[in-house]
């Protein structure tokens, strides 16, 4: 079966750095997406990786290793507004998105 | 601003009611999706429409009935639901479901309808 694993919940301190991991086992691979979802709101697109390596976008970076079936989202200089759920999703060989259950990130002052 | 709107935002209904959820996208996309989001579970894809044609129906019970009159509008008709159907129902759109990969495949979501079935 197809599976996306990510931690259920993480806690970090304002101003610090946090890394949210995602591992996947899917039938084929056509890209990995990270989304942010604040409580009661729509998931919003953060990043897309299809080749190995690090993609940096401001305070957020996303890394991919296809051989290891592994990605992480790195958030720097954490702000209180970064408190949200972070969803990892992989597009499989049929171009269907397979979703993780999300990681709830709690930022403390 | 996501460009995808959903109404209503909240809905409470009894098991014998009939109601409809509406989604509209203003992004010029050709593919639209219905997802179910339950607490602490992955997003569940329910239906996909590409160029107004239904291309996916992931074994969804017949009490959920989708309708896509054009590429900008998507409805989810609900009837005789069960309490376990209570969840957040999200609509999304993308350029085209069948693109061969790339960030242009990104799905953009509406804010969802929080459904409670009594």
């Amino acid at each position: 079966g197809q599976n996306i694993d990510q931690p259920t919940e993480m806690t970090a301190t304002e101003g610090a750095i946090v890394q949210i991991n995602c591992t996947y086992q899917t039938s084929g691979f056509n890209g990995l997406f990270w989304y942010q979802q604040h409580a009661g709101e729509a998931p919003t697109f953060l990043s897309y990786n299809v080749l190995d390596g690090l993609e940096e976008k401001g305070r957020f970076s996303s890394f991919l290793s296809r051989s290891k079936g592994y990605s992480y989202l790195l958030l720097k200089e954490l702000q209180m507004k970064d408190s949200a759920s972070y969803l990892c999703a992989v597009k499989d060989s049929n171009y269907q998105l397979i979703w993780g259950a999300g990681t709830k990130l709690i930022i403390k002052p | 601003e996501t460009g995808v709107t959903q109404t209503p935002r909240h809905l409470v209904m009894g098991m014998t009611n009939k109601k409809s959820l509406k989604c509209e996208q203003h992004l010029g996309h050709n593919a639209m999706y219905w997802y179910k989001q339950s607490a602490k579970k992955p997003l569940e894809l329910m239906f996909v429409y590409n160029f107004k044609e239904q291309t996916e129906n992931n074994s969804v019970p017949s009490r959920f009935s989708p309708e896509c009159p054009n590429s900008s509008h998507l409805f989810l008709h609900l009837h005789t639901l069960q309490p376990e159907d209570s969840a957040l129902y999200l609509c999304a759109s993308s350029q085209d479901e069948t693109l061969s990969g790339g960030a242009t495949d990104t799905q953009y979501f509406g804010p969802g309808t929080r459904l409670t079935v009594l």
Side-chain angles (χ1 to χ4, degrees):
Chain A
Q2 308 203 86
N3 195 51
I4 308 285
D5 287 315
Q6 45 181 137
T8 302
E9 186 173 299
M10 299 182 70
T11 302
T13 304
E14 190 177 15
I17 299 173
V18 71
Q19 177 175 311
I20 303 174
N21 296 326
C22 170
T23 58
Y24 61 89
Q25 298 94 36
T26 56
S27 56
F29 179 83
N30 281 299
L32 185 144
F33 295 80
W34 283 97
Y35 281 80
Q36 179 191 60
Q37 185 178 23
H38 286 100
E41 297 183 14
T44 55
F45 170 72
L46 286 179
S47 68
Y48 171 78
N49 295 70
V50 68
L51 299 176
D52 289 351
L54 188 68
E55 294 279 343
E56 297 186 74
K57 194 184 289 186
R59 294 189 298 115
F60 293 6
S61 303
S62 56
F63 172 82
L64 174 67
S65 169
R66 287 172 298 170
S67 63
K68 296 182 178 178
Y70 168 69
S71 172
Y72 67 73
L73 181 69
L74 191 71
L75 291 73
K76 302 177 184 176
E77 302 169 16
L78 286 170
Q79 301 175 10
M80 297 303 293
K81 67 178 182 179
D82 298 328
S83 292
S85 289
Y86 292 85
L87 311 179
C88 174
V90 172
K91 188 156 280 196
D92 68 9
S93 57
N94 294 319
Y95 301 103
Q96 181 167 328
L97 270 180
I98 310 301
W99 293 85
T103 299
K104 182 178 181 180
L105 177 63
I106 299 169
I107 308 298
K108 295 186 174 180
Chain B
E1 185 177 353
T2 64
V4 181
T5 58
Q6 289 186 244
T7 55
R9 293 293 308 276
H10 300 272
L11 178 62
V12 179
M13 60 187 289
M15 289 191 286
T16 58
N17 291 158
K18 290 184 180 181
K19 296 286 184 183
S20 295
L21 309 185
K22 179 182 176 182
C23 175
E24 184 174 359
Q25 59 95 0
H26 311 275
L27 301 170
H29 289 164
N30 294 304
M32 296 188 77
Y33 310 77
W34 278 118
Y35 285 94
K36 177 183 180 182
Q37 188 175 36
S38 303
K40 300 184 179 180
K41 289 187 177 180
L43 286 174
E44 299 174 45
L45 180 64
M46 301 175 71
F47 300 104
V48 182
Y49 279 82
N50 201 42
F51 290 93
K52 300 187 298 178
E53 297 295 322
Q54 185 174 308
T55 59
E56 293 284 340
N57 175 347
N58 286 351
S59 303
V60 179
S62 59
R63 58 186 183 267
F64 295 92
S65 174
E67 179 189 358
C68 187
N70 55 59
S71 294
S72 299
H73 294 85
L74 186 65
F75 295 89
L76 188 63
H77 304 300
L78 316 171
H79 63 97
T80 57
L81 294 190
Q82 304 298 311
E84 60 264 30
D85 296 323
S86 297
L88 181 68
Y89 288 84
L90 290 164
C91 173
S93 70
S94 68
Q95 184 63 37
D96 184 329
E97 184 203 12
T98 59
L99 283 175
S100 58
T104 52
D105 288 2
T106 301
Q107 293 183 17
Y108 294 88
F109 286 83
T113 296
R114 173 66 64 185
L115 174 67
T116 303
V117 181
L118 302 176

